[in-house]
Amino acid sequence: MATILNIETSTSVCSAALTHEGAILEHFEEFGGRNHATVLSGFIKGCLDHLRRHEMKLDAVAVSIGPGSYTGLRIGLSEAKGLAYALDVPLIGVDTLQIMAVHVMFNEVLDNPDVMFAPMIDARRMEVYTGVYSLALEPLEAPHPLILDENSYREWLDKGEVLFFGDGSDKARKVITHPNARFIADVNPLAVDMLALSDKAFREQRFISLAYSVPTYLKEFQATRPKPLF
């Protein structure tokens, strides 16, 4: 397996992880808020220092490509592009919702082979970025923005158990009361959970362009006016 530097900045959590042959060699996380521009460079340096100490070579850089925060995604992708260019290694883009699903797969007891995953990233008010995935991570419903109501995910809930998680799931808990809905708390997209996805992409040579790749925003950025002081 390859040695990959994984970067995740799609939500309020910022993280980086160095992985090699299915193992996590070094990792850093910051849960304190949107400090990505301040802390990410230090996280990357920590991972590169590990490489130098052990005389290892980096094979690729992987970055969470979205959906998620506009600012966070731009910071992560910019850092990843610059590093991949400077080190002359390929760049891998990893779907943020799948990163969250992988975390649940490896950290929850899943007895139902037909269980479905519905990761959610908060998009303000009652809107989330979401998708629906099978246990094999096949996209049953492609990533999209969704305004939550009592009928959200009804098609999938009527078919079987659906796991809801992510920082948007607290809003969903208030309106989705179907008996097949199961809510899992405290699931954030983290670089350590990118390992399986970035390794697979490297083996399959699925790289993204250093020049033209952009984050998966799902909807246009909407700037808000600051409130008047007086």
Side-chain angles (χ1 to χ4, degrees):
M1 294 184 182
T3 302
I4 300 175
L5 175 58
N6 300 272
I7 297 170
E8 215 302 314
T9 58
S10 64
T11 64
S12 61
V13 180
C14 179
S15 61
L18 182 66
T19 61
H20 173 72
E21 294 187 352
I24 298 166
L25 304 181
E26 188 68 271
H27 67 97
F28 302 90
E29 291 100 20
E30 166 62 55
F31 290 84
R34 300 186 186 278
N35 302 315
H36 305 359
T38 303
V39 302
L40 182 58
S41 294
F43 291 173
I44 292 172
K45 182 180 183 300
C47 291
L48 296 180
D49 286 346
H50 183 102
L51 285 176
R52 282 190 285 269
R53 287 195 302 270
H54 294 84
E55 298 182 348
M56 299 174 66
K57 177 182 178 296
L58 192 68
D59 294 306
V61 176
V63 62
S64 176
I65 206 73
S69 157
Y70 292 95
T71 302
L73 291 172
R74 286 197 299 270
I75 291 171
L77 185 57
S78 295
E79 288 268 9
K81 282 183 174 182
L83 186 62
Y85 178 80
L87 298 179
D88 193 25
V89 296
L91 181 64
I92 298 167
V94 182
D95 180 270
T96 306
L97 299 176
Q98 289 190 353
I99 296 170
M100 298 163 67
V102 166
H103 176 90
V104 172
M105 284 181 186
F106 287 107
N107 290 277
E108 298 292 327
V109 177
L110 304 176
D111 299 322
N112 179 5
D114 297 319
V115 69
M116 292 166 278
F117 300 92
M120 296 177 170
I121 295 175
D122 189 9
R124 298 182 181 180
R125 298 184 178 87
M126 287 303 291
E127 191 169 20
V128 295
Y129 301 123
T130 188
V132 179
Y133 300 87
S134 71
L135 189 57
L137 279 188
E138 296 171 345
L140 305 176
E141 192 169 291
H144 63 286
L146 174 69
I147 298 175
L148 296 167
D149 61 33
E150 64 275 10
N151 294 312
S152 298
Y153 305 93
R154 178 58 62 89
E155 173 187 357
W156 307 110
L157 288 163
D158 286 344
K159 292 180 179 179
E161 183 182 23
V162 180
L163 307 183
F164 296 98
F165 47 89
D167 64 4
S169 62
D170 285 344
K171 297 187 292 190
R173 190 190 296 267
K174 298 175 184 178
V175 295
I176 298 176
T177 58
H178 196 288
N180 285 333
R182 176 181 165 196
F183 292 87
I184 301 173
D186 302 321
V187 176
N188 296 289
L190 294 173
V192 292
D193 295 316
M194 295 171 63
L195 190 160
L197 296 168
S198 57
D199 266 347
K200 185 174 187 293
F202 186 87
R203 291 195 306 272
E204 297 173 355
Q205 300 287 285
R206 288 189 285 108
F207 305 130
I208 61 175
S209 169
L210 289 178
Y212 302 112
S213 56
V214 295
T216 303
Y217 290 128
L218 295 186
K219 65 178 185 178
E220 294 297 322
F221 175 72
Q222 294 179 339
T224 57
R225 293 184 178 180
K227 295 181 179 180
L229 296 178
F230 303 101

